[in-house]
Amino acid sequence: MKILLTSLFLALSCTTLFSQGLMSDKDKFTQQDTLRGTITPERAWWDLNFYHLDIEVKPDEKFITGSNTIRYKVLEENQVLQVDLQPPLKIEKVTQDGEQLEVNSNTNAHYITLKKPQIKDEFNEIIVHYSGKPKEAIRAPWDGGFSWKKDKNGKDFIATSCQGLGASVWWPNKDHMYDEVDSMAISVKVPKGLMNISNGRLKSIDEGESTTTYNWFVANPINNYGVNVNIGDYVHFGEKYDGEKGVLDMDYYVLKDNLETAKTHFKDAARLMEAFEHWFGPYPFYEDSYKLVEVPYLGMEHQSSVTYGNKYMKGYLGRDLSGTGWGLKFDYILIHESGHEWFANNITYKDIADMWIHESFTTYSENLFVDYFYGKEASSEYVIGTRKSIINDKPIIGNYNVNNEGSRDMYFKGANIIHTIRQLVNDDEKWRQILRGLNEQFYHKTVTTNEIENYVSKESGIDLKPFFNQYLRSIKIPILEYRTEGKTLIYRYTNIVDGFNMPVRLFLNENPVWISPTAEWKKEKIKGLNSNIIIDKNFYIDTKKTE
């Protein structure tokens, strides 16, 4: 009964974790979904170069006002440009070279008619002025927007989160993941006595009579949802990490009352950097530093400004999502959200349908953290333990061009898929080089599933197309059926897609034996075969012993 109750508790916890907002089911799509999810003609002709987001946040009114300067390169001549901003925020005006431009709006999409001829290869700018009361996040980060909270001393404690819903919920931008801005300035004016922490490095602070403006600069490409504002009564401490690309500044911003707790708890930050640089290669944003910023919600992978709200507890709010005990050796949010610096912020999906690239590899990063510090057996137990939360409700890949992510199984099923590939590679150093190679090959790039599939197949020397079709594009879990007749093993796969032929490892008297099942029955004489066959649990399959 205890085991059953534990499994139920974990399942309910994970349903709560991934079912709100971002991971909600959706099978009908609107025109707005298409406008968000498609590279429209009004987006395709220009390439982002630079943003300067310059806003004032007024907590007492839950109001923001300001502008975004958008610099772009003309790829093809066109005179209509799409910018996205979600109601109830309103565009007040748009200018280019000081001239006000006509804006035609379709709810979230705003079409700007340019007066100046747009000549191929030239760089131009528009300035979008806007204001309003942005959507308030009810259950951040799954339901995005602004979180307007107070700390226990009654001071404002404010943060943004917007993956899935889109960054246009709080600032005007080219709200599609395929095009990342090359660099960005972020200026945020807040009431005096509060501090704003955003992405990149703090360049200057401007003091006003009753306000303070914090000016940040991001030197690297950044995706829209990775941009954030965090406002609170923060204090700062930090350290320098001697990493693969030199000295990395690691800065921590926490509420004043949590300073001493954070100084102890955040010691795992340097440890995660050590483990992830080993497995994935250099931290991708040395120029922008690494930050942990306390927020009034659970946390999010904002680039170089990772947000944290796990209440300084190990596991996921004190719970081990694997049920093995290993999940209480680390802070889930600290490790998981930081892992996204490699898979989400360095390597970024072009279309949210391919969100598994972010979440599967990053959930797997938890496993690699355990591997680095506690050993391979512990890491296997951890990732296998998370299988109890897999629901196989729909494919991991979502619908393209309509801003639709796939199944929440992209987390735990995705991690087990990647763990299974490690078994197929069967060479841990080669596997490590594949993971590092991904982050080098697709450094600061937006990618598709096919690009990731092809790279891993090529570098592993294994045709993984049927494998990915099985696990990413269907909900079928392969069943290995087998029986023995004397020294002969008879086996096959069922519940598989066409062409699925993944080898699998068995143990006979602790000795490894590889077999290659297909949809057809096979017979194979195996020396030392007996009825005590152990199927390697590291492979994500079901098994069935037949008579």
Side-chain angles (χ1 to χ4, degrees):
M1 179 60 72
K2 182 178 180 181
I3 295 174
L4 290 173
L5 287 174
T6 300
S7 298
L8 178 60
F9 174 75
L10 287 167
L12 290 172
S13 297
C14 295
T15 298
T16 301
L17 177 59
F18 303 120
S19 65
Q20 303 294 327
L22 181 60
M23 289 285 101
S24 61
D25 295 331
K26 186 172 184 179
D27 55 12
K28 294 182 180 179
F29 304 102
T30 67
Q31 181 191 42
Q32 291 303 313
D33 294 324
T34 300
L35 290 175
R36 266 295 314 285
T38 303
I39 303 172
T40 61
E42 295 80 12
R43 285 174 171 149
W45 67 269
W46 56 286
D47 178 56
L48 277 171
N49 173 249
F50 175 76
Y51 285 137
H52 181 195
L53 179 61
D54 185 1
I55 64 172
E56 180 176 3
V57 179
K58 300 180 178 181
D60 290 345
E61 304 173 45
K62 297 185 177 180
F63 185 87
I64 62 175
T65 182
S67 65
N68 188 26
T69 299
I70 303 174
R71 184 186 305 153
Y72 59 92
K73 180 180 181 181
V74 179
L75 303 178
E76 299 292 342
E77 293 181 7
N78 200 312
Q79 295 300 125
V80 181
L81 179 151
Q82 179 182 338
V83 167
D84 304 283
L85 183 68
Q86 298 179 33
L89 294 175
K90 293 182 179 180
I91 291 179
E92 295 172 350
K93 66 177 180 178
V94 180
T95 63
Q96 185 166 69
D97 296 340
E99 287 195 77
Q100 189 163 336
L101 304 175
E102 179 184 349
V103 181
N104 293 294
S105 299
N106 183 348
T107 311
N108 301 332
H110 308 273
Y111 300 97
I112 300 161
T113 301
L114 304 167
K115 297 178 181 179
K116 175 182 177 180
Q118 304 296 300
I119 299 172
K120 187 175 180 180
D121 294 330
E122 286 192 353
F123 287 85
N124 294 318
E125 288 184 356
I126 61 170
I127 304 175
V128 182
H129 299 262
Y130 78 109
S131 65
K133 294 186 176 184
K135 179 183 180 298
E136 184 168 357
I138 305 303
R139 192 176 174 81
W142 304 283
D143 172 61
F146 260 78
S147 295
W148 306 95
K149 305 294 183 182
K150 299 281 188 181
D151 66 20
K152 65 181 182 181
N153 297 315
K155 291 197 173 185
D156 289 301
F157 191 23
I158 301 164
T160 58
S161 55
C162 57
Q163 188 182 16
L165 181 61
S168 56
V169 75
W170 69 275
W171 62 287
N173 60 78
K174 187 179 189 179
D175 206 0
H176 193 291
M177 295 292 288
Y178 87 99
D179 190 7
E180 292 188 344
V181 72
D182 298 331
S183 61
M184 181 173 185
I186 306 168
S187 300
V188 182
K189 182 185 291 186
V190 298
K192 193 171 287 292
L194 296 174
M195 184 183 293
N196 171 71
I197 312 302
S198 289
N199 314 80
R201 291 185 183 271
L202 182 62
K203 292 299 184 181
S204 63
I205 301 173
D206 299 327
E207 295 287 356
E209 184 176 337
S210 60
T211 61
T212 306
T213 302
Y214 293 84
N215 299 299
W216 297 83
F217 183 76
V218 183
N220 288 292
I222 185 170
N223 64 60
N224 289 332
Y225 86 81
V227 176
N228 70 346
V229 164
N230 307 290
I231 299 167
D233 184 21
Y234 287 121
V235 291
H236 166 262
F237 68 102
E239 61 185 313
K240 294 187 180 296
Y241 178 77
D242 188 9
E244 289 195 15
K245 287 181 67 176
V247 176
L248 173 64
D249 293 321
M250 301 182 70
D251 294 293
Y252 314 117
Y253 294 87
V254 301
L255 294 181
K256 189 177 299 182
D257 290 345
N258 295 331
L259 177 61
E260 295 308 316
T261 299
K263 283 181 177 180
T264 299
H265 197 78
F266 285 178
K267 287 180 179 179
D268 264 357
R271 296 178 79 226
L272 74 84
M273 198 61 65
E274 179 183 348
F276 290 165
E277 286 207 329
H278 170 81
W279 284 108
F280 299 147
Y283 174 71
F285 309 107
Y286 271 74
E287 301 84 354
D288 291 324
S289 78
Y290 167 88
K291 293 188 291 298
L292 286 172
V293 187
E294 187 173 0
V295 291
Y297 61 85
L298 191 60
M300 197 71 188
E301 66 264 23
H302 299 111
Q303 183 174 307
S304 73
S305 180
V306 175
T307 50
Y308 175 83
N310 200 40
K311 303 184 185 300
Y312 300 99
M313 302 172 76
K314 298 291 189 180
Y316 175 83
L317 292 173
R319 305 194 296 270
D320 176 9
L321 297 180
S322 76
T324 65
W326 295 113
L328 294 178
K329 295 291 186 181
F330 61 91
D331 183 316
Y332 175 93
I333 294 300
L334 185 62
I335 302 305
H336 181 93
E337 303 305 341
S338 298
H340 274 307
E341 293 280 48
W342 285 262
F343 291 96
N345 298 338
N346 185 38
I347 302 174
T348 308
Y349 57 67
K350 276 188 167 77
D351 190 303
I352 198 172
D354 290 333
M355 188 174 165
W356 77 273
I357 297 168
H358 293 198
E359 298 302 346
S360 299
F361 279 95
T362 302
T363 303
Y364 180 66
S365 76
E366 302 158 25
N367 177 53
L368 294 180
F369 178 85
V370 174
D371 188 302
Y372 188 85
F373 287 107
Y374 303 104
K376 190 173 180 179
E377 184 176 347
S379 69
S380 294
E381 289 177 6
Y382 175 79
V383 71
I384 291 169
T386 64
R387 291 178 187 171
K388 61 174 65 68
S389 298
I390 297 171
I391 56 177
N392 278 312
D393 59 333
K394 60 180 181 179
I396 285 177
I397 295 177
N399 296 286
Y400 290 102
N401 300 319
V402 287
N403 195 44
N404 174 248
E405 71 279 345
S407 170
R408 69 197 68 164
D409 279 343
M410 68 179 74
Y411 292 81
F412 301 128
K413 181 179 178 181
N416 276 279
I417 291 169
I418 297 169
H419 183 65
T420 300
I421 299 174
R422 179 182 184 177
Q423 314 313 310
L424 297 174
V425 172
N426 199 30
D427 180 333
D428 285 348
E429 181 55 28
K430 183 177 182 179
W431 177 236
R432 186 171 80 98
Q433 293 306 322
I434 290 172
L435 295 174
R436 291 173 67 93
L438 280 168
N439 280 279
E440 182 178 358
Q441 177 71 23
F442 302 110
Y443 182 75
H444 292 178
K445 291 183 179 178
T446 59
V447 301
T448 64
T449 285
N450 284 336
E451 288 178 292
I452 300 300
E453 288 183 9
N454 292 339
Y455 182 88
V456 177
S457 289
K458 178 183 176 183
E459 296 303 316
S460 67
I462 304 169
D463 179 9
L464 291 169
K465 187 65 175 179
F467 176 93
F468 284 119
N469 286 340
Q470 176 80 32
Y471 287 110
L472 296 181
R473 298 178 176 89
S474 85
I475 61 172
K476 296 178 178 179
I477 303 304
I479 300 172
L480 175 63
E481 295 186 349
Y482 70 97
R483 67 179 185 273
T484 57
E485 293 181 359
K487 299 299 180 183
T488 299
L489 180 65
I490 303 169
Y491 58 89
R492 70 171 180 181
Y493 276 133
T494 59
N495 203 40
I496 57 174
V497 301
D498 289 344
F500 184 80
N501 59 355
M502 181 181 72
V504 65
R505 185 168 49 216
L506 317 176
F507 291 99
L508 302 176
N509 300 319
E510 299 185 355
N511 296 313
V513 176
W514 286 85
I515 60 173
S516 299
T518 65
E520 305 299 323
W521 284 108
K522 286 187 176 182
K523 294 184 178 182
E524 186 173 345
K525 287 189 176 181
I526 299 177
K527 184 178 179 180
L529 182 67
N530 55 47
S531 59
N532 188 27
I533 296 174
I534 299 175
I535 313 296
D536 192 338
K537 292 182 179 180
N538 289 293
F539 291 76
Y540 181 43
I541 61 173
D542 290 329
T543 60
K544 180 181 178 182
K545 189 172 184 180
T546 63
E547 296 300 328

